[in-house]
Amino acid sequence: MSDARLKWLLLPAGLFVLAVYAWPTLGLFRNAFNETGPTGAMVETWSLKTTAEVLADSFTFELTLNSLWLSLSATLLALALSYPVALFLFRTNSRFRGLLAVVAIMPMLISGVVRVFGWLAILGDRGLVNSLAQSFGLITAPMKLVFNWTGVTIGLAESIMPYMILALLAGFGQLDRTLEEASRSLGATPMRTFLRVTLPLSLPALALAAGLGFVLSMSAYITPKLLGGGRVFVLATEIFEQATTNTNWPVASVLAIYTLVLLLLLLAASNLAARGLKR
Amino acid sequence: MSYLELSGLQKRYRDAVAVDDVSLSVEKGEAVALLGPSGCGKTTTLRMLAGLVDPDRGAIRLDGAEVTRLPAHKRNMGYVFQSYALFPHLSVARNVGFGLEERRVAKAEIARRVVEALAMVRLSGLDQRRPRELSGGQQQRVALARSLVIRPSVLLLDESLSNLDAKLRDTMRHEIRSIQRSLGITTLFVTHDQVEALTMCDRIAVMHRGRIAQIGSPEDIYERPATRFVAEFVGRANALPATRDAEGRVVLWGERLPVAAPAGGEFDLFVRPQRIRILPISEPVADGMARVTGKVLRSVFVGDHVEVLVEGAAGQIQVELQSGTALPQEGAEVALVWRARDTLPFPRETA
Amino acid sequence: MNGAGRVLSSLAGLVYALILAPIAIVVALAFSADNFILFPPSGYSLRWFRALGAHGPLLSALWLSVQIASVVTVLSLVIGVPAALALAKGRFSGRDALTNFFLAPLLLPTLITGLALLLFFTPLRLTATLPGLVLGHMTVTVPFVIRMMTTAFSTLPDDIEAAAATLGAEPWRVVRRVTLPLVTPGLIACACLCFLLSFDETVISLFLSGPRAATLPVEMVRYVEGRTDPLVAALSVVLIVATLIVVIIVERLVGIARAVGK
């Protein structure tokens, strides 16, 4: 196939990405320089007034802390749960390995709304956990597990796990089984082998997976919205509120760009960490 | 003008030169091998011929017409790939008929020629199989039939036998050669295997670092290598560091040899191990013979021949004797004798 | 050391239970006879499936989602597959930069893309319309198709296409007779995932949906926000079964980990 003519096949997709992705994204940046007039109508201008207002607002600061804290706890929880699964999939000789890998990844293909609904049924006032605890007499009044930070953290952790398992599996590529065998042959117990060989070697993979999980958590909207029941405020929910309910586009745009910058910094940090750990 | 003419072909990839000024003329019906180590540019040359790689410079002429810039699908060259490159989704018959279908040949005609081609490569009856259901040797034959059925102007074979085991390779060598001869088809083989080149071709072009080092008949290449590289690459040879004495005659291991010394610089003598005879040290030698003495280090039986290693004043010489001949004792002092004209002096390479 | 060991296997088993819990619970709940979310249900019935069959807004949302996902899949393949072919087989300068350009939309969270599209579409009156939703979903699916098919095309051995060319096939004939047939499994898997991505897309749809045009996930979000009864569980079972079918097809054809991973 002649190479010069192949280039033209890029044209439709190129036009699409330019018109429906690149141009609107530029528009988002443009909107951040607009202002909201006293009536709530948007005023087209080129000013940093909205940016200054948003950055000076203590609510922005609170949202940022909320987002970071939520993402951190969800990521750590997901990491702790994903690591054994990924290591298991990496190590196992089971003939069901393929099936088990599919099951681990499958949740990312099932609608987020469906999974959130499942968590409502597990963690709700009359859900699985509370009815079990009550039937064993552990508690008298139901525990509040959803429509608060606990529920959102659990739901978010579950939703990012498939991505983190994939990232960990990809990162384990350099984890040579013979190194563990060498450690065992030199007299180390399985636990010592894990602590001295396996864990140090998988640190770069863990850093990358953590970075990915953190970014996904920061930009998640559905889970905080539904499992938070209107009581959990993070950057993502605020962006959506400002854009739709309040139709305050300049503020929504500034918040979106602000979030994007945070994400980029976090990604850069996790890549740096992964590289540093690899050495 | 010859049937196929390559003149001044050159191809660079970024910083490396793959093919550097290759010129070659091939007569109609001739079989020519491009022989060389991997990375010498032989496959790139073949791909330029097929139109799969565009040359940076130079020209390709086929039957008087320039085809240098003609796209692959208009060249009518049969190419047998090292990987065979059979279409995995098509049956053997559809694979073989592919080129005819592209030429809009009538259905009945295609069927007839496919049967004919499969019979020629002795695969009759396998026409409905899929490629993956065939052995390596059978796949190779399908690939060959697929390239021959289009009656190509030139048949190009790229390391076509290298994926087969040794026995099968032997059979295929003879089969391909006899098909090539009976069809009288102009053929270019790319190979790194000298036996393949020596047995299958009328002429051999030895390639080295993107250039043709020597071109000639198999005998020429073997008996009269033009460069040190050709002598080393084709067949085996002892490379013996020699000197000149005051009168300018060649001295090896302290003995004068009746060999003409090359002009200037340090040099080595190349002698093929099977051209050397081992004689008792007392035996006189005739004129025109080279003779040195040494001690037998060891003899190794290799089946169809015996390898004897002899250590002399300044190095070792490998001798190949036919098995069945009397073996010299290890440690025995012997004379090594060969015809002076079997000695090839080449300047020392300054690496 | 052979295999995963007992400690690790048990740990992984526990996590698997956790991963599957919400899905298993939803399925059980769909057959509940109760009026509200109660687990375990006090009785089992098919009443919520019957209720689903009579729920107009959810059914019309389901229909809209099927329409959108179908159009999105066709359009994304039509413009994504040729681009992937060019990126995988072309040898023009700037190819790597172009690849990055086409995959860039996958890097940006849909929250940001959704907002950008809302701002862009509102003056064009494209919000809450079928074309608007289709275009919105395509910002996700087109880069996805390009990524998946570029990999599929690049793993084809070049020699097979070269062979077709030496046998006299013109470039477009090579694509039609050799390249496309050989990537058919990948193409089908890609189409299935593309459909699923559009069908499940929630955030962009939430930005772009109005009362007139709401996709199924949007309608579900609204329903769950308002009430909690097992009706959504019954609907979820339908979605889970559909997803499982896609997962099985994709796993059989190309392997799911390879298709969704990088």
Side-chain angles (χ1 to χ4, degrees):
Chain A
M1 185 109 195
S2 80
D3 300 327
R5 274 189 298 167
L6 268 176
K7 229 190 295 194
W8 294 104
L9 294 177
L10 291 169
L11 196 62
L15 287 177
F16 173 81
V17 173
L18 281 178
V20 189
Y21 177 78
W23 180 248
T25 307
L26 281 178
L28 177 80
F29 279 82
R30 170 68 189 91
N31 256 281
F33 296 99
N34 287 338
E35 290 172 16
T36 311
T39 56
M42 192 173 77
V43 182
E44 287 218 25
T45 171
W46 282 98
S47 84
L48 290 170
K49 187 165 158 258
T50 312
T51 311
E53 278 170 10
V54 168
L55 291 182
D57 193 342
S58 65
F59 189 50
T60 310
F61 185 65
E62 193 188 325
L63 288 172
T64 311
L65 283 186
N66 285 351
S67 273
L68 290 174
W69 177 242
L70 174 66
S71 303
L72 183 67
S73 39
T75 303
L76 289 180
L77 180 60
L79 203 57
L81 295 173
S82 305
Y83 188 70
V85 173
L87 201 57
F88 167 80
L89 286 173
F90 180 71
R91 287 249 192 91
T92 185
N93 305 322
S94 162
R95 60 204 172 93
F96 299 114
R97 186 188 180 277
L99 181 70
L100 289 168
V102 171
V103 172
I105 299 164
M106 193 182 56
M108 79 195 251
L109 292 174
I110 288 182
S111 165
V113 187
V114 170
R115 283 178 292 127
V116 163
F117 188 72
W119 285 115
L120 286 176
I122 293 175
L123 303 174
D125 286 356
R126 295 200 247 186
L128 179 66
V129 173
N130 273 316
S131 49
L132 275 180
Q134 271 172 324
S135 67
F136 285 118
L138 294 174
I139 50 169
T140 45
M143 296 178 283
K144 278 282 166 207
L145 296 175
V146 283
F147 305 137
N148 58 16
W149 292 97
T150 315
V152 177
T153 308
I154 294 172
L156 210 47
E158 189 252 3
S159 74
I160 61 177
M161 274 179 60
Y163 298 92
M164 294 175 83
I165 291 173
L166 272 179
L168 285 173
L169 274 176
F172 284 168
Q174 52 188 327
L175 196 72
D176 191 342
R177 275 275 286 277
T178 55
L179 291 178
E180 298 181 339
E181 286 165 3
S183 164
R184 292 296 300 278
S185 76
L186 293 170
T189 62
M191 197 58 204
R192 296 283 299 164
T193 299
F194 174 76
L195 288 176
R196 295 191 57 188
V197 179
T198 317
L199 192 60
L201 283 173
S202 48
L203 281 179
L206 279 166
L208 282 178
L212 178 67
F214 208 100
V215 167
L216 288 169
S217 307
M218 284 282 284
S219 51
Y221 169 73
I222 303 296
T223 310
K225 174 73 183 162
L226 291 181
L227 283 176
R231 291 186 197 90
V232 168
F233 300 101
V234 288
L235 286 167
T237 53
E238 182 64 13
I239 291 170
F240 191 83
E241 287 305 307
Q242 290 290 353
T244 57
T245 317
N246 300 357
T247 50
N248 192 336
W249 292 358
V251 168
S253 304
V254 168
L255 279 171
I257 293 165
Y258 172 73
T259 309
L260 211 53
V261 170
L262 279 180
L263 291 181
L264 286 176
L265 291 177
L266 287 165
L267 266 184
S270 94
N271 280 333
L272 271 181
R275 207 170 304 164
L277 291 166
K278 210 177 261 174
R279 250 175 305 131
Chain B
M1 180 179 272
S2 303
Y3 179 66
L4 177 66
E5 294 261 1
L6 318 187
S7 46
L9 281 184
Q10 192 189 64
K11 181 69 193 176
R12 296 170 167 278
Y13 289 111
R14 293 212 179 159
D15 40 355
V17 180
V19 171
D20 189 9
D21 192 20
V22 163
S23 300
L24 177 67
S25 308
V26 181
E27 298 304 326
K28 189 156 189 156
E30 199 182 14
V32 174
L34 298 178
L35 174 67
S38 62
C40 71
K42 56 194 194 298
T43 293
T44 306
T45 305
L46 204 69
R47 293 181 85 90
M48 286 195 277
L49 261 169
L52 298 173
V53 168
D54 283 334
D56 296 333
R57 233 184 276 162
I60 303 166
R61 255 176 227 92
L62 179 67
D63 212 1
E66 161 122 21
V67 298
T68 320
R69 301 286 154 195
L70 208 61
H73 64 276
K74 290 181 183 157
R75 287 206 191 186
N76 197 40
M77 300 225 183
Y79 198 112
V80 180
F81 292 82
Q82 180 172 13
S83 61
Y84 314 141
L86 299 179
F87 307 123
H89 59 301
L90 299 178
S91 67
V92 167
R94 293 294 299 278
N95 260 283
V96 176
F98 190 98
L100 298 176
E101 287 171 23
E102 289 305 318
R103 284 167 176 71
R104 311 238 152 70
V105 175
K107 275 226 168 87
E109 165 89 357
I110 293 180
R112 192 181 58 73
R113 278 168 69 179
V114 166
V115 168
E116 211 177 85
L118 285 175
M120 185 167 62
V121 296
R122 303 195 291 128
L123 279 183
S124 301
L126 295 182
D127 47 348
Q128 288 318 310
R129 297 273 187 91
R130 287 293 168 97
R132 64 169 174 277
E133 299 166 339
L134 303 179
S135 70
Q138 289 170 326
Q139 290 184 23
Q140 156 84 72
R141 287 160 203 261
V142 175
L144 186 63
R146 186 176 70 174
S147 325
L148 287 173
V149 79
I150 60 171
R151 294 175 188 152
S153 323
V154 182
L155 180 65
L156 307 171
L157 295 120
D158 182 8
E159 301 272 7
S160 300
L161 301 176
S162 60
N163 289 343
L164 303 178
D165 62 60
K167 258 233 165 89
L168 198 54
R169 205 170 347 180
D170 228 34
T171 321
M172 285 307 291
R173 247 191 331 247
H174 292 113
E175 266 181 49
I176 293 178
R177 179 61 163 154
S178 77
I179 290 173
Q180 186 264 327
R181 276 210 171 123
S182 66
L183 296 179
I185 185 166
T186 315
T187 304
L188 258 88
F189 292 88
V190 153
T191 180
H192 65 271
D193 179 346
Q194 43 171 310
V195 182
E196 221 166 284
L198 293 169
T199 55
M200 293 174 78
C201 298
D202 303 312
R203 280 193 302 152
I204 296 174
V206 182
M207 287 190 68
H208 181 45
R209 293 189 184 147
R211 289 167 178 272
I212 292 182
Q214 185 180 4
I215 179 153
S217 68
E219 215 190 341
D220 271 343
I221 300 284
Y222 189 82
E223 299 288 351
R224 290 171 287 282
T227 70
R228 187 188 171 97
F229 170 79
V230 176
E232 273 171 344
F233 188 74
V234 182
R236 293 189 307 138
N238 291 292
L240 308 167
T243 51
R244 292 180 197 83
D245 65 8
E247 290 117 75
R249 277 185 299 185
V250 172
V251 176
L252 177 69
W253 291 7
E255 314 247 2
R256 274 195 216 150
L257 303 190
V259 174
E266 298 188 306
F267 64 102
D268 296 321
L269 300 179
F270 277 66
V271 188
R272 303 226 178 261
Q274 41 314 22
R275 294 293 156 85
I276 304 172
R277 285 188 298 148
I278 296 181
L279 296 176
I281 202 134
S282 54
E283 191 140 328
V285 293
D287 278 356
M289 300 296 272
R291 178 184 182 275
V292 293
T293 59
K295 195 159 77 175
V296 175
L297 265 187
R298 61 170 177 270
S299 317
V300 182
F301 180 71
V302 201
D304 54 356
H305 66 269
V306 180
E307 284 175 11
V308 183
L309 195 62
V310 176
E311 183 158 52
Q316 299 177 342
I317 292 182
Q318 183 127 34
V319 183
E320 216 176 285
L321 302 178
Q322 278 187 334
S323 34
T325 48
L327 285 185
Q329 285 287 312
E330 281 186 16
E333 291 285 340
V334 293
L336 300 179
V337 179
W338 64 90
R339 290 181 303 188
R341 60 185 164 95
D342 286 335
T343 316
L344 301 159
F346 289 109
R348 182 91 38 88
E349 248 165 25
T350 44
Chain C
M1 240 189 305
N2 199 19
R6 227 176 310 152
V7 180
L8 186 58
S9 300
S10 329
L11 269 176
L14 275 176
V15 179
Y16 266 106
L18 212 63
I19 292 176
L20 293 175
I23 298 161
I25 300 279
V26 165
V27 174
L29 211 56
F31 297 93
S32 166
D34 301 321
N35 282 326
F36 39 80
I37 297 183
L38 175 66
F39 202 90
S42 61
Y44 293 93
S45 78
L46 290 175
R47 60 178 282 208
W48 292 109
F49 284 96
R50 281 193 293 274
L52 178 64
H55 197 285
L58 280 179
L59 287 183
S60 62
L62 173 67
W63 175 231
L64 180 68
S65 278
V66 169
Q67 283 177 297
I68 290 175
S70 309
V71 178
V72 164
T73 304
V74 171
L75 289 181
S76 304
L77 290 178
V78 164
I79 73 171
V81 173
L85 184 69
L87 290 175
K89 297 285 175 190
R91 267 174 294 250
F92 38 84
S93 57
R95 191 176 60 154
D96 293 346
L98 276 167
T99 307
N100 289 334
F101 166 76
F102 281 110
L103 300 189
L106 292 176
L107 298 176
L108 217 54
T110 47
L111 185 76
I112 311 281
T113 317
L115 174 61
L117 287 171
L118 173 72
L119 305 186
F120 179 55
F121 282 168
T122 304
L124 301 175
R125 298 183 180 282
L126 276 171
T127 49
T129 64
L130 190 117
L133 285 163
V134 165
L135 288 174
H137 289 188
M138 281 170 71
T139 58
V140 177
T141 53
V142 168
F144 175 81
V145 168
I146 292 178
R147 186 179 73 186
M148 189 171 165
M149 293 314 294
T150 304
T151 314
F153 284 127
S154 345
T155 47
L156 283 186
D158 286 336
D159 274 358
I160 294 198
E161 286 158 309
T166 61
L167 291 169
E170 288 165 34
W172 72 272
R173 295 273 303 166
V174 176
V175 170
R176 218 182 64 112
R177 289 199 66 190
V178 179
T179 316
L180 286 181
L182 289 179
V183 297
T184 302
L187 211 54
I188 296 172
C190 187
C192 288
L193 285 170
C194 201
F195 188 93
L196 198 63
L197 275 178
S198 164
F199 194 79
D200 283 345
E201 170 48 50
T202 314
V203 175
I204 291 178
S205 301
L206 275 171
F207 274 106
L208 298 181
S209 288
R212 273 186 301 136
T215 62
L216 187 62
V218 171
E219 203 56 48
M220 282 170 75
V221 167
R222 288 179 185 162
Y223 193 94
V224 173
E225 275 183 310
R227 250 160 320 177
T228 44
D229 62 38
L231 180 68
V232 172
L235 181 56
S236 297
V237 168
V238 178
L239 297 189
I240 290 170
V241 170
T243 307
L244 276 180
I245 292 172
V246 169
V247 166
I248 290 168
I249 293 175
V250 174
E251 174 67 15
R252 275 287 145 86
L253 289 173
V254 291
I256 196 98
R258 209 143 60 97
V260 296
K262 268 136 216 175

